[in-house]
Amino acid sequence: MIELRDLKLLSTLARHKHFARAAQECGMSQPAFSMRIRNLEERLGLPLVRRGNRFQGLTEEAEMIVRRARSLLDDARALEQEISAFRGEVTGVLVIGVVPTATAYAAKVVNRLHETHPRLLARFEVTNSLAIQQGLYDGTMDAGITYADSIGRELVTVQSLYDESYVLFAPEHMVAAYGDTITWAQVGTLPLSLLEPQMQNRSILDRIFQEQGIRPDVMSESTGFMSAMIMAREGSVATILPLALIDAIGPIQGTRVLRLVDPEPSKPICLVTLDRQPELTTVKVLKEVSDAFV
């Protein structure tokens, strides 16, 4: 008989592809973790791990077990959460994948969630849209806050949140000649710090520049906005930010925020969850709070 604990260990190993990291997540020493996997192989009479000098992946038999195990583990987790709900509390860990432009909005939603369910732990994973979709499918994420037009609609539920619009965040001296607005063509003449090209937000901005026939002067790139904002405050570059982020952090001394015009594009941001039954209680309350927040 396979125990749920063994299925969890094997599923964790499949996700990390590394014995030490999988053991750490499961709260075990690596030798104890490895011994448990070997004991499972002996009980099943099947090889589960392709071994060499280092981990080389799971066998075909193990991959089949992991695929079936994820639904069983989800059911067990859902049952635990339903039992807690009967006691009048929502507990557990809720893993939310968030695109960088939506982190400020996500923080507001989670603050509201914490007010109503203080024993629920929300864990953010800031990443790109593709990783969020993959995380939903492989069970490593419970929900995602991402671009509506970048997520496949198969097996998922999509809940609209807001439309993302953009502003220029720049040192005061760099935009002293402008009023409250600035065109994309004018932005193209400024030294910029933007997200890296593989990020969805950067793809959106690059498409706008290309459609306008503009070649922006990109001085630096990063996976998040913090470094660009610090550089802008120090006076060396400007950056393009989602309006939701500026609304959340408020004014920063020595900088200005200008609304981008000609054009004024927007992109729909949504909450996406896997369409599964039974639904996790943690996911259910997240959807309820998000709906009320909108």
Side-chain angles (χ1 to χ4, degrees):
M1 180 70 68
I2 303 178
E3 299 179 14
L4 280 177
R5 175 67 167 168
D6 292 327
L7 295 179
K8 182 177 180 181
L9 298 186
L10 191 60
S11 180
T12 305
L13 180 59
R15 186 168 72 252
H16 285 288
K17 298 179 174 59
H18 191 278
F19 271 94
R21 288 194 292 268
Q24 182 179 19
E25 179 176 320
C26 294
M28 301 173 64
S29 68
Q30 182 175 338
F33 184 95
S34 299
M35 182 60 69
R36 183 105 184 199
I37 295 295
R38 285 192 179 275
N39 290 341
L40 178 59
E41 289 178 313
E42 291 177 5
R43 291 205 309 273
L44 296 177
L46 293 171
L48 299 177
V49 178
R50 292 188 283 110
R51 295 179 174 87
N53 292 332
R54 61 180 63 186
F55 178 79
Q56 295 182 349
L58 299 182
T59 63
E60 184 178 347
E61 296 89 343
E63 294 287 359
M64 178 274 294
I65 293 172
V66 168
R67 287 194 298 270
R68 298 291 298 273
R70 282 172 179 151
S71 62
L72 294 173
L73 292 170
D74 278 347
D75 287 346
R77 186 178 170 205
L79 177 59
E80 291 175 352
Q81 292 184 5
E82 286 184 19
I83 292 172
S84 295
F86 275 122
R87 295 198 300 263
E89 59 185 13
V90 177
T91 62
V93 178
L94 178 68
V95 182
I96 309 171
V98 185
V99 292
T101 58
T103 51
Y105 185 90
K108 291 181 179 180
V109 171
V110 170
N111 277 341
R112 187 75 58 86
L113 187 65
H114 182 69
E115 291 174 359
T116 54
H117 305 288
R119 296 195 60 193
L120 174 60
L121 173 63
R123 180 180 297 150
F124 284 155
E125 292 190 13
V126 181
T127 185
N128 58 46
S129 300
L130 182 60
I132 290 173
Q133 179 158 317
Q134 185 60 45
L136 290 172
Y137 286 157
D138 66 21
T140 58
M141 294 181 186
D142 302 311
I145 297 180
T146 183
Y147 293 97
D149 59 1
S150 66
I151 197 83
R153 301 305 173 100
E154 183 180 359
L155 304 178
V156 299
T157 299
V158 176
Q159 180 177 334
S160 297
L161 295 178
Y162 67 97
D163 287 336
E164 178 180 276
S165 57
Y166 309 100
V167 295
L168 182 77
F169 180 79
E172 287 182 339
H173 72 84
M174 194 176 290
V175 291
Y178 300 101
D180 295 331
T181 64
I182 189 170
T183 68
W184 289 83
Q186 291 166 333
V187 169
T189 66
L190 304 177
L192 297 175
S193 178
L194 302 176
L195 294 185
E196 292 182 348
Q198 69 268 24
M199 306 301 288
Q200 181 72 7
N201 171 263
R202 176 63 182 276
S203 298
I204 293 169
L205 301 185
D206 284 347
R207 193 175 305 117
I208 296 170
F209 282 126
Q210 185 177 18
E211 290 171 353
Q212 300 298 310
I214 301 166
R215 297 185 63 181
D217 182 16
V218 180
M219 306 295 293
S220 69
E221 298 172 337
S222 63
T223 57
F225 292 114
M226 183 59 70
S227 61
M229 294 177 69
I230 291 174
M231 292 171 69
R233 188 190 64 182
E234 294 298 316
S236 58
V237 299
T239 188
I240 298 173
L241 302 177
L243 178 59
L245 177 58
I246 290 297
D247 286 343
I249 63 176
I252 295 179
Q253 187 175 5
T255 65
R256 286 184 59 202
V257 175
L258 286 72
R259 182 166 58 89
L260 279 159
V261 296
D262 297 332
E264 296 184 56
S266 64
K267 284 286 183 179
I269 300 293
C270 69
L271 173 69
V272 58
T273 55
L274 205 60
D275 187 10
R276 62 186 174 192
Q277 294 297 329
E279 186 173 48
L280 294 174
T281 303
T282 50
V283 171
K284 187 183 301 183
V285 297
L286 173 64
K287 290 164 72 172
E288 290 171 355
V289 168
S290 298
D291 188 53
F293 192 78
V294 174

